[in-house]
Amino acid sequence: MKPSLPQGTRDFSHEVVYKRQYILQTIRQIFERYGFQPLETPAMENIDTLMGKYGEEGDKLIFKILNNGLDNPNKEQKTREALEEVFQGKWSKQLTERALRYDLTIPFARFVAMNHGSLVFPFKRYQIQPVWRADRPQRGRYREFYQCDCDVVGSSSLINEVELIHIYDQAFTSLQIPVSIQINNRKILAGLAEICGGQEQLTDITIAIDKLDKIGLEKVKEELTQRGLDQAQIEVIEQYLNIKGSNNEQLTQIEQLLSESKQAMLGVTELRYLLDFAKDSVKSVQLDFTLARGLNYYTGTIFEIKASTVKMGSIGGGGRYDDLTGLFGVKDVPGVGISFGIDRIYDVMEELNLFEGKLSQGTEVLFFNLGSYEIQGAYPVIQKLRQAGIRTELYHEPVKFDKQFKFAEKKGIPYIAIIGSEEITDNKITIKHLPSGWQEQMDSTNIDHIVQALHTQREDK
RNA sequence: GAGAGCAUAGCUCAGUUGGUUAGAGCGUCGGAUUGUGGUUCCGAAGGUCGUGGGUUCGAGACCCAUUGUUCUCCCCA
């Protein structure tokens, strides 16, 4: 058979894995520095846990796992009936009881709901795992991709938002990606909706204005009309969208425009607190009232990260949610969280050439294989180098030097080592640096000296 | 869910209005070269032209279907 991958999935070669690990390790370290602890949840969840949490579209994009034993003749009648239900648009547990996780937030909420009795609140967890979506793959979109989340639950304090802003800032500073951290508050959007026809318009309004930078003001107004808003309401929204200036200027303007809404004013107060707190330490925080974010469970602060110098969708996002675990019967567990879009961060860094010199490398030294007697002499040296932390490989069979050199060249191994019969008698080792041509015979018992030679910077020829 | 493009050697791609035996570069393998590679030179292997039908004296090329893949919209990370 011809081997192939399922649509929208990828193999990662060693170069890519090194780079991805570099990103993940950088972020993980920062999470831990702020007191977040890791959590892992299963790839699959009970289907009830996931269904209905991501909207109608989301349900369609969940990968469902077929039950085993459907071919059992004793259950044939039931199975056929269940299949009929599928044509009615319903998924029966008779056919599927499990599904692949669609994001990390709902499984986390499930975990908190199950364990809230034994957790210490506020509970701070980070989670880095793949998720699966039956979406149609396209540029920057896959059916299997990683999410990298950190959330605090059990605290309404805005200091959590402050911490998350600093995590974002440190992560992207550390990765050397220039970004703007865009920030808004759902209460302001809710206030806008309140003034323009009521809460039930909130979703319609947010979906439309979120598209501002993509489709422009005129198209947004068209969409608002289509969604049933009248002229006066659209006018207010237009004023809202036209707010510009520094963070402080924008806050002043929004206060005037939405002064009627208590909710909006609360949002302004929260934003002012955050911006004030961050204004000296984090330069890249940018107020953006058009930021809406799709997920409906957000209730307060919302974040989104955009790379400033690369054209790419958002590379991170998050926000506050007041009642996530309510879905699982546990009330009053407010939370706030952020997420890093690893796959897109990778693309941005690749484009900006930010990986150079930062990666854990492959093999540092290749021992030539000159025959079984010579290998036995060389092997103790190989093991000592490995104990000393040198990434060391031995060529797998005694073939002519030409081949062994070319192997080292192709794998990008900088040093080769030769221990032949002469060297064995004299306790010597010949080390050669391929890029420069530097070569020296040294004492094979003096491991420190060898390690030192391997760590010396050398100019290429 | 809606729409568009692409599919020829391991990879990147040529292939004329339909015309003999389908090509190139890179890579792979062997040799020049049995303890010092990279360059160079010589040689070789490698193809159901995605699959199935159709039109034609003749199809890699045209038509239909199908599968895969890429991209756009919707939505999202």
Side-chain angles (χ1 to χ4, degrees):
Chain A
M1 66 170 267
K2 196 176 170 187
S4 66
L5 284 172
Q7 201 179 33
T9 65
R10 298 157 292 168
D11 289 324
F12 297 118
S13 68
H14 62 100
E15 296 105 323
V16 181
V17 173
Y18 285 141
K19 291 173 183 175
R20 289 171 64 91
Q21 280 177 350
Y22 169 72
I23 297 172
L24 290 175
Q25 270 162 23
T26 304
I27 295 173
R28 179 177 303 142
Q29 244 172 37
I30 293 169
F31 286 164
E32 297 199 339
R33 209 174 292 155
Y34 281 77
F36 287 79
Q37 292 181 321
L39 173 72
E40 291 188 15
T41 64
M44 64 180 97
E45 291 279 348
N46 287 328
I47 204 158
D48 294 343
T49 305
L50 305 183
M51 292 293 275
K53 308 299 193 296
Y54 308 104
E56 210 174 305
E57 285 299 309
D59 281 358
K60 287 183 195 162
L61 299 181
I62 293 171
F63 273 107
K64 294 148 193 93
I65 299 169
L66 213 52
N67 287 352
N68 292 65
L70 290 176
D71 53 351
N72 183 343
N74 297 334
K75 295 184 183 163
E76 184 177 339
Q77 189 53 37
K78 278 190 171 179
T79 305
R80 284 184 193 282
E81 283 166 18
L83 203 53
E84 274 309 307
E85 286 184 36
V86 173
F87 292 114
Q88 323 279 324
K90 291 177 200 157
W91 277 98
S92 162
K93 277 196 166 180
Q94 188 67 32
L95 295 177
T96 170
E97 334 187 276
R98 288 157 300 221
L100 293 178
R101 87 164 90 73
Y102 178 89
D103 73 354
L104 301 180
T105 309
I106 293 295
F108 174 55
R110 189 224 75 220
F111 174 85
V112 173
M114 280 175 72
N115 298 284
H116 70 282
S118 55
L119 296 175
V120 178
F121 288 103
F123 179 61
K124 296 159 83 172
R125 84 87 173 78
Y126 75 87
Q127 190 169 358
I128 302 172
Q129 287 189 280
V131 302
W132 294 270
R133 295 185 186 177
D135 213 346
R136 182 163 299 196
Q138 52 185 278
R139 182 180 180 77
R141 185 180 302 189
Y142 306 96
R143 288 186 150 181
E144 178 184 67
F145 62 97
Y146 268 74
Q147 289 195 334
C148 177
D149 284 20
C150 86
D151 291 77
V152 188
V153 294
S155 163
S156 303
S157 167
L158 280 174
I159 198 66
N160 296 307
E161 272 92 333
V162 172
E163 296 255 76
L164 293 176
I165 289 171
H166 282 87
I167 287 179
Y168 262 147
D169 182 58
Q170 280 190 8
F172 288 111
T173 302
S174 185
L175 293 170
Q176 296 182 304
I177 304 174
V179 295
S180 73
I181 302 174
Q182 300 179 333
I183 182 173
N184 193 11
N185 195 302
R186 268 294 168 93
K187 292 183 178 120
I188 289 176
L189 291 161
L192 177 68
E194 195 183 322
I195 286 167
C196 299
Q199 279 308 328
E200 59 277 9
Q201 303 281 25
L202 177 61
T203 309
D204 285 330
I205 293 172
T206 53
I207 287 175
I209 67 175
D210 198 31
K211 294 179 183 168
L212 179 68
D213 55 343
K214 212 170 181 180
I215 60 178
L217 183 60
E218 288 311 308
K219 293 262 180 186
V220 170
K221 284 162 77 177
E222 266 175 45
E223 183 149 349
L224 287 167
T225 312
Q226 270 176 25
R227 289 176 184 270
L229 279 90
D230 67 36
Q231 208 49 46
Q233 294 167 340
I234 291 178
E235 211 157 288
V236 176
I237 294 172
E238 188 171 353
Q239 280 177 37
Y240 178 93
L241 294 177
N242 277 327
I243 291 176
K244 293 200 172 72
S246 72
N247 290 345
N248 266 327
E249 287 164 6
Q250 289 193 49
L251 282 172
T252 313
Q253 291 175 57
I254 201 84
E255 246 169 348
Q256 285 164 7
L257 185 66
L258 300 182
S259 57
E260 310 265 303
S261 163
K262 274 189 184 161
Q263 224 183 159
M265 290 307 102
L266 193 55
V268 171
T269 308
E270 291 184 9
L271 282 173
R272 187 159 276 162
Y273 173 84
L274 293 180
L275 291 169
D276 224 44
F277 210 116
K279 72 171 186 284
D280 295 323
S281 48
V282 182
K283 299 278 177 244
S284 49
V285 179
Q286 179 64 47
L287 198 51
D288 180 3
F289 290 130
T290 70
L291 176 62
R293 293 195 61 77
L295 291 169
N296 276 323
Y297 51 69
Y298 289 129
T299 51
T301 317
I302 46 182
F303 308 102
E304 195 154 291
I305 307 297
K306 291 230 168 78
S308 347
T309 53
V310 177
K311 216 178 166 189
M312 177 77 65
S314 74
I315 56 176
R320 175 166 284 282
Y321 38 85
D322 280 339
D323 189 27
L324 202 57
T325 54
L327 296 164
F328 300 107
V330 177
K331 293 284 174 199
D332 302 321
V333 184
V336 58
I338 56 174
S339 178
F340 288 80
I342 297 301
D343 300 80
R344 286 181 180 173
I345 289 172
Y346 177 92
D347 289 343
V348 169
M349 290 186 66
E350 196 67 272
E351 198 163 328
L352 296 176
N353 256 326
L354 294 177
F355 286 116
E356 252 165 78
K358 293 226 179 86
L359 303 174
S360 40
Q361 297 287 331
T363 303
E364 291 161 285
V365 55
L366 176 74
F367 273 69
F368 276 17
N369 186 328
L370 315 216
S372 59
Y373 166 72
E374 288 86 345
I375 286 178
Q376 284 182 38
Y379 209 76
V381 183
I382 292 174
Q383 289 304 73
K384 279 182 196 147
L385 283 175
R386 287 174 173 160
Q387 276 161 25
I390 303 289
R391 295 184 291 275
T392 309
E393 239 183 296
L394 167 65
Y395 197 82
H396 58 103
E397 52 191 13
V399 295
K400 50 185 181 179
F401 272 34
D402 181 71
K403 283 203 112 174
Q404 306 200 40
F405 267 118
K406 282 181 176 158
F407 178 81
E409 181 78 21
K410 270 186 286 193
K411 279 191 72 172
I413 301 171
Y415 286 94
I416 60 102
I418 297 170
I419 295 185
S421 48
E422 298 165 27
E423 282 91 346
I424 289 175
T425 2
D426 304 341
N427 276 331
K428 294 284 182 196
I429 180 169
T430 301
I431 305 274
K432 177 169 184 169
H433 184 242
L434 264 38
S436 66
W438 171 90
Q439 176 170 336
E440 199 172 294
Q441 199 171 64
M442 53 189 83
D443 188 350
S444 67
T445 58
N446 189 344
I447 297 297
D448 289 348
H449 187 215
I450 300 173
V451 170
Q452 199 190 341
L454 294 173
H455 283 161
T456 305
Q457 288 280 340
R458 301 181 197 288
E459 298 285 319
D460 291 4
K461 252 195 289 203

